[in-house]
Amino acid sequence: MPVYGVAVLAACTLAGLYAGDLIGAAMGLEANVGGVGIAMLLLIAGSNLPGRPLLPGSPAGSGVQHWSLMYIPIIVAMAARQNVAAAVSGGTMAIIAGTLAVVAGFALVPLLSRLARR
Amino acid sequence: MQRLEDFAGANGLLVAFVFVGLVMALAHLVARHLTRGRLHGSAVAIAMGLLLAWAAGVDTGGKNGVADYPLLAGVGVLGGAMFRDFAIVATAFGVRLSDLRSAGWVGALSIPLGVVLSFAVGALVALGFGLRDPAEIATIGAGAATYIVGPVTGASLGVSSEIISLSIAAGLVKAVLVMVATPLVARRIGLNNPASAMIYGGLLGTTSGVTGGLAATDPALVPYGAMTSTFYTGVGCLMAPSVLYLAVKALL
């Protein structure tokens, strides 16, 4: 049943986010450390286990796939609720700092990718 | 009107589905006919979302984009952290562990490197604008990492609320720009495989920017970028108020 897949997905997400929260708290931070990453690893493990209860294409798998397909609409909703007005009116210093940080990040992607290929 | 607002509020998530569906339908039309398929429909949809959020913010004076309209409050739920994280985790379904390992230690290294890089750039800009207090410079640098690292750093270093708002604004500029610019530069920076997506996620780090930018570029790359960017804010909150602040203090 698709709902089994959705339940497993939700359980992985909750377990990962809570673990990330606890890791953050243990480091004395008000931030979630790696919660989504841990949740993704749990889901990947769940779909690679012997017996593979969560095969892509199985009824349970289709429940997970539905939410994976809902990803872009959710990101559009996320974009529509961002505080864009504050970003635009944040003053020259904020705009320059944010923009240069992005440019520097983009510039390093090909360099590190080349390193990773060695 | 009040009756309609109450009704829309009680059915917020359903209103959000209709809203997003309309935006995406319009975006795909624009992408196909106005840009002749050169821009991905998802990229146009995300840009339209940001544009609507900007107009709504100017109109309402609120901080939640279109979700500040009572009629569209449900968009805030659908676009909130809970559904975002749920859907990001779902994209990992079908990911192979060997692909996750393809970036190797460079992928892991990209996270602290990205934090230091953004921090240094932000701190230099703050310095250029005449800030001299190490705590204030560190807060702006932290804001250039993400809009969460900025206020966390500012609060722990005890700077004024003006500086904290500036650091949040720097982080917002970064998130918005990453969402819009990623599909435009993807080919030039070789963002077309799992390893480079992990490195990109670690270097840019802003979760909303990275996941939005990858969604507009190639949805298959989303889980890889999300995997590294999910550690970025935590690493930033750890480094910015401590070693990076001390480095600024030592250098001034």
Side-chain angles (χ1 to χ4, degrees):
Chain A
M1 277 208 290
V3 70
Y4 295 155
V6 180
V8 169
L9 172 61
C12 289
T13 309
L14 289 171
L17 288 178
Y18 193 56
D21 192 54
L22 291 180
I23 295 172
M27 294 164 107
L29 303 173
E30 275 309 309
N32 193 298
V33 178
V36 171
I38 297 166
M40 289 201 292
L41 289 176
L42 288 174
L43 185 72
I44 294 169
S47 53
N48 284 296
L49 276 179
R52 301 233 265 166
L54 266 186
L55 266 174
S58 69
S62 71
V64 184
Q65 237 136 18
H66 169 75
W67 281 101
S68 151
L69 292 172
M70 282 301 288
Y71 172 72
I72 288 175
I74 285 171
I75 292 299
V76 172
M78 177 192 85
R81 56 154 289 175
Q82 296 287 308
N83 196 355
V84 184
V88 172
S89 66
T92 333
M93 181 162 83
I95 292 173
I96 295 179
T99 305
L100 289 184
V102 174
V103 172
F106 281 157
L108 270 193
V109 172
L111 286 175
L112 289 193
S113 301
R114 217 165 300 146
L115 260 184
R117 238 172 280 141
R118 274 197 201 143
Chain B
M1 192 60 190
Q2 186 59 49
R3 208 173 174 83
L4 183 64
E5 278 178 10
D6 290 346
F7 176 77
N11 296 285
L13 209 45
L14 300 184
V15 177
F17 285 138
V18 175
F19 170 84
V20 171
L22 288 174
V23 170
M24 292 206 55
L26 190 63
H28 277 95
L29 273 179
V30 169
R32 196 173 318 143
H33 295 292
L34 291 185
T35 76
R36 296 211 190 112
R38 225 170 304 150
L39 266 180
H40 205 280
S42 315
V44 179
I46 291 166
M48 284 170 102
L50 291 170
L51 202 65
L52 289 169
W54 170 74
V58 170
D59 184 34
T60 64
K63 336 189 247 187
N64 300 312
V66 302
D68 283 323
Y69 291 118
L71 274 178
L72 293 175
V75 176
V77 180
L78 186 63
M82 180 176 73
F83 276 116
R84 184 197 65 192
D85 291 346
F86 190 52
I88 292 174
V89 174
T91 63
F93 191 51
V95 160
R96 277 182 315 217
L97 279 175
S98 57
D99 283 340
L100 277 183
R101 276 198 294 256
S102 62
W105 59 271
V106 180
L109 189 73
S110 69
I111 303 164
L113 202 63
V115 170
V116 173
L117 183 73
S118 294
F119 183 93
V121 168
L124 283 175
V125 171
L127 205 61
F129 271 81
L131 293 191
R132 286 296 173 264
D133 176 13
E136 293 186 349
I137 292 172
T139 304
I140 302 294
T146 74
Y147 57 77
I148 298 173
V149 182
V152 166
T153 303
S156 79
L157 296 178
V159 304
S160 69
S161 66
E162 285 85 7
I163 295 292
I164 289 186
S165 338
L166 272 177
S167 79
I168 297 175
L172 285 171
V173 168
K174 184 182 187 186
V176 169
L177 197 62
V178 170
M179 274 189 244
V180 176
T182 299
L184 304 176
V185 301
R187 197 172 310 164
R188 208 164 307 158
I189 63 173
L191 188 55
N192 55 14
N193 60 75
S196 63
M198 287 185 73
I199 289 165
Y200 157 86
L203 282 173
L204 275 312
T206 157
T207 308
S208 41
V210 163
T211 54
L214 286 177
T217 307
D218 179 1
L221 296 179
V222 167
Y224 304 102
M227 181 61 87
T228 41
S229 72
T230 177
F231 289 95
Y232 184 96
T233 290
V235 171
C237 290
L238 200 63
M239 291 175 74
S242 54
V243 283
L244 294 178
Y245 165 65
L246 292 176
V248 172
K249 219 171 142 186
L251 287 172
L252 278 178

